């Protein structure tokens, strides 16, 4: 621009309305004011929606990191290409090449030829009409695309999922951001990966709050228990409820619906008086404390005395140890071991091999041994177990409790030894209570 300006000089329009001015400072001032106006317009587009409350974030939105291993149901081009995205919907299968290549190319060719078409009789009218049709068509297709997305539940679900993932990345990034990037954070996060692993390995039989872990329902009834809140106090109380134990939440779809545990609950617990029900509740609280769930850590520390009483009740009045082994080596026990029930080590070993003598043994009902044939990797198993136990990083805790460090860089034995050390880390009050019972 400067070269051409110097080469050809100024060509002001006649007649001149103002006297000549110097480039400095008059023209420089005008250029500066113009640049400032453009900058303010750009800043308004960036910050205005946030300042005016039209947007929850400042600047461009940050969504979930791109993951090439999974599809994204809400993938859309920018608004200025949305009309073409909508246009392609009318060309399914092999005809897509017409909507993607042939017709747009012909349209651009007409635009290129407009200067020549304008020389024809009524060519200018054709050009104006063509431009109007193109712009109106693009606007109409863009509006149609936006309306369809607005009324598309799958699109809304994908967008909501991406926003949740974005929020989770921001939470995880507060304590550590790996060199591998945001996607590595998600792949090490039980809260993010657990639902996917549950849907892949468990949802053919189990449910998680009535769905497959990812929010998808099924027309088929589950054939195994619902694992939402596994080993929590509420979940344990449902297990000894004479109505719920035979429902699809627990044993309703399994061979255990007519087993010893079910018969004991339906015949004996159903006749418990108020005092006995209170004793049973304390026993279930004590059993739930074996899992050492992060979501119950605070209340269990506050109710250490009640848990200690529950330990004793499990052995005496409630009689859990008549069939189960609990902090001793009772070789006559025929039911699953309750020592460390629901802990990371217990649940990991159970998923690896439910037919182990510590669990169902020969009475196992269809539960596959995931430790055989590499049905699930050790790192994925660790993520799944942590998710079922609701053991993941929570910003409010200020610690990385439950966050899986890079499990892909650990040997299975190392993961198992870590989980065992975590599960055996009891408070002084709990150790004294267990010692008193034993």
């Amino acid at each position: 621009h400067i070269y051409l300006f110097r080469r050809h000089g100024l060509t002001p329009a006649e007649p001149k309305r103002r006297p000549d001015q110097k480039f400095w400072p008059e023209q420089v001032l005008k250029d500066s004011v113009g640049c400032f106006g453009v900058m303010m317009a750009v800043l308004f587009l960036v910050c205005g929606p946030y300042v005016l409350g039209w947007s929850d974030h400042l600047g461009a939105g940050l969504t979930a990191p791109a993951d090439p291993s999974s599809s994204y149901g809400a993938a859309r081009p920018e608004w200025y290409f949305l009309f073409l995205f909508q246009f392609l919907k009318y060309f399914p299968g092999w005809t897509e090449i017409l909507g993607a290549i042939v017709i747009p190319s012909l349209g651009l060719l007409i635009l290129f030829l407009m200067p020549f078409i304008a020389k024809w009789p009524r060519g200018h009218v054709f050009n104006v009409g063509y431009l109007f049709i193109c712009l109106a068509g693009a606007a109409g297709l863009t509006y149609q695309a936006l309306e369809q997305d607005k009324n598309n539940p799958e699109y809304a679900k994908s967008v909501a999922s991406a926003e949740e993932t974005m929020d989770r990345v921001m939470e995880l990034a507060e304590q550590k951001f790996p060199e591998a990037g945001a996607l590595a954070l998600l792949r090490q996060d039980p809260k993010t990966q657990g639902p996917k692993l549950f849907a892949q390995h468990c949802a053919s039989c189990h449910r998680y709050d009535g769905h497959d872990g990812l929010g998808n329902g099924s027309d088929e009834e589950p054939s195994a228990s619902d694992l939402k809140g596994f080993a929590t106090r509420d979940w344990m109380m449902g297990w000894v409820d004479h109505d719920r134990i035979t429902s699809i939440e627990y044993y309703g779809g399994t061979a255990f619906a007519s087993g010893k545990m079910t018969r004991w609950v339906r015949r004996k617990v159903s006749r418990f008086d108020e005092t006995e029900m209170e004793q049973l509740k304390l026993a279930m609280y004590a059993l739930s404390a074996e899992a050492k769930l992060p979501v119950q850590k605070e209340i269990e520390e506050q109710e250490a005395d009640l848990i200690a009483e529950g330990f004793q009740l499990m052995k005496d009045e409630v009689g859990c140890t008549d069939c189960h082994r609990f902090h001793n080596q009772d070789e006559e026990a025929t039911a699953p071991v309750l020592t460390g029930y629901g802990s990371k080590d217990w649940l990991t070993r159970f998923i690896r091999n439910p037919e182990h003598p510590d669990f169902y043994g020969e009475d196992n009902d269809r539960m596959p041994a995931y430790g055989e044939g590499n049905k699930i990797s050790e790192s994925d198993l660790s993520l799944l177990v942590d998710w079922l136990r609701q053991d993941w990083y929570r910003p409010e805790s200020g610690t990385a409790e439950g966050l899986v460090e890079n499990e892909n860089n650990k040997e299975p034995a190392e993961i198992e030894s870590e989980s065992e050390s975590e599960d055996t880390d009891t408070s002084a009050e709990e150790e004294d209570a267990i010692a008193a019972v034993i």
Side-chain angles (χ1 to χ4, degrees), residues 6 32 74 105 114 130 171 265 303 433:
R6 293 297 181 186
S32 299
S105 297
M114 273 186 174
Y130 177 75
E171 290 176 355
V265 171
E303 298 181 353

Side-chain angles (χ1 to χ4, degrees), residues 294-429:
V295 293
Q296 295 182 167
K297 181 178 180 180
E298 184 175 348
I299 192 171
E300 286 173 356
E301 289 176 349
Q302 295 172 356
E303 298 181 353
D305 293 339
L306 291 177
I307 292 173
E309 183 180 349
F311 280 128
Q312 188 65 44
L313 290 169
M314 286 181 66
K315 182 179 179 182
D316 299 330
E317 283 81 354
V318 178
C320 298
T321 54
D322 293 346
C323 299
H324 296 272
R325 193 190 319 162
F326 185 66
H327 287 287
N328 59 50
Q329 299 300 318
D330 184 3
E331 299 298 334
E332 297 181 359
T334 58
V337 173
L338 297 183
T339 305
Y341 179 83
S343 65
K344 181 164 185 175
D345 176 60
W346 189 97
L347 190 54
T348 300
R349 292 193 301 112
F350 176 79
I351 295 175
R352 281 201 195 114
N353 183 17
E355 295 183 2
H356 189 278
D358 284 350
F359 307 114
Y360 288 140
E362 297 179 355
D363 296 330
N364 179 47
D365 179 30
R366 295 172 290 117
M367 174 75 179
Y370 282 91
E372 298 177 0
N374 197 28
K375 291 183 176 68
I376 185 172
S377 67
E378 286 296 321
S379 57
D380 284 350
L381 177 57
S382 179
L383 290 168
L384 176 60
V385 167
D386 283 340
W387 178 70
L388 290 172
R389 289 171 29 80
Q390 304 178 63
D391 191 0
W392 54 69
Y393 172 72
R394 292 172 172 81
E396 62 270 16
S397 68
T399 65
E401 181 179 15
L403 178 65
V404 179
E405 297 180 5
N406 194 351
E407 301 289 1
N408 296 321
N409 296 331
K410 297 181 180 180
E411 295 297 327
E414 185 179 353
I415 298 173
E416 183 175 357
S417 64
E418 288 185 1
S419 66
E420 289 175 353
S421 64
E422 292 173 0
D423 292 332
T424 55
D425 184 18
T426 58
S427 65
E429 293 86 350

Side-chain angles (χ1 to χ4, degrees), residues 148-436:
Q148 287 184 1
D149 285 342
K150 187 187 299 184
N151 300 312
N152 185 348
E154 292 299 323
Y155 174 81
K157 181 179 177 181
S158 297
V159 171
S161 176
E163 291 176 349
E164 290 176 3
T165 303
M166 173 198 69
D167 293 338
R168 184 59 180 166
V169 169
M170 300 298 289
E171 290 176 355
L172 295 173
E174 291 178 2
Q175 41 99 35
K176 181 180 180 182
F177 199 89
E179 294 180 0
L183 193 56
L185 273 178
L186 294 177
R187 288 177 174 169
Q188 299 167 17
D189 178 35
K191 186 178 181 182
T192 304
Q193 299 303 318
K196 301 176 184 178
L197 294 169
F198 183 88
Q200 178 183 353
H201 298 287
C202 312
S204 58
C205 297
H206 294 275
R207 294 292 181 271
Y208 191 86
D209 199 21
H211 55 80
D212 69 343
L214 296 172
N216 302 315
S218 174
D219 295 333
E220 299 180 4
E221 278 201 353
S223 58
S225 54
D226 192 304
L227 298 178
K228 174 71 162 60
F230 172 75
T232 61
R233 292 182 171 189
D234 290 340
W235 195 89
M236 298 303 303
M237 290 305 298
W239 190 29
V240 292
D241 186 300
H242 58 86
D243 290 324
R244 295 177 64 188
I245 192 171
T246 54
S247 70
I248 58 173
E249 292 182 82
Y250 292 91
Y251 285 161
T254 71
F256 301 116
S258 58
K260 293 180 180 180
M261 180 68 186
T262 304
R263 292 197 300 270
W264 180 80
V265 171
R266 302 204 73 178
R267 294 175 183 176
K268 189 171 182 179
V269 175
S270 61
R271 294 193 293 268
F272 275 9
D273 58 27
E274 186 176 343
T275 300
E276 290 172 321
M277 284 303 300
E278 186 64 26
Q279 292 174 342
L280 178 63
K281 183 175 75 171
L282 292 180
M284 291 300 100
Y285 284 7
L287 183 56
S288 178
E290 288 287 291
K292 294 181 173 53
L293 301 174
V295 293
Q296 295 182 167
K297 181 178 180 180
E298 184 175 348
I299 192 171
E300 286 173 356
E301 289 176 349
Q302 295 172 356
E303 298 181 353
D305 293 339
L306 291 177
I307 292 173
E309 183 180 349
F311 280 128
Q312 188 65 44
L313 290 169
M314 286 181 66
K315 182 179 179 182
D316 299 330
E317 283 81 354
V318 178
C320 298
T321 54
D322 293 346
C323 299
H324 296 272
R325 193 190 319 162
F326 185 66
H327 287 287
N328 59 50
Q329 299 300 318
D330 184 3
E331 299 298 334
E332 297 181 359
T334 58
V337 173
L338 297 183
T339 305
Y341 179 83
S343 65
K344 181 164 185 175
D345 176 60
W346 189 97
L347 190 54
T348 300
R349 292 193 301 112
F350 176 79
I351 295 175
R352 281 201 195 114
N353 183 17
E355 295 183 2
H356 189 278
D358 284 350
F359 307 114
Y360 288 140
E362 297 179 355
D363 296 330
N364 179 47
D365 179 30
R366 295 172 290 117
M367 174 75 179
Y370 282 91
E372 298 177 0
N374 197 28
K375 291 183 176 68
I376 185 172
S377 67
E378 286 296 321
S379 57
D380 284 350
L381 177 57
S382 179
L383 290 168
L384 176 60
V385 167
D386 283 340
W387 178 70
L388 290 172
R389 289 171 29 80
Q390 304 178 63
D391 191 0
W392 54 69
Y393 172 72
R394 292 172 172 81
E396 62 270 16
S397 68
T399 65
E401 181 179 15
L403 178 65
V404 179
E405 297 180 5
N406 194 351
E407 301 289 1
N408 296 321
N409 296 331
K410 297 181 180 180
E411 295 297 327
E414 185 179 353
I415 298 173
E416 183 175 357
S417 64
E418 288 185 1
S419 66
E420 289 175 353
S421 64
E422 292 173 0
D423 292 332
T424 55
D425 184 18
T426 58
S427 65
E429 293 86 350
E430 290 175 338
E431 288 178 352
D432 292 343
I434 294 171

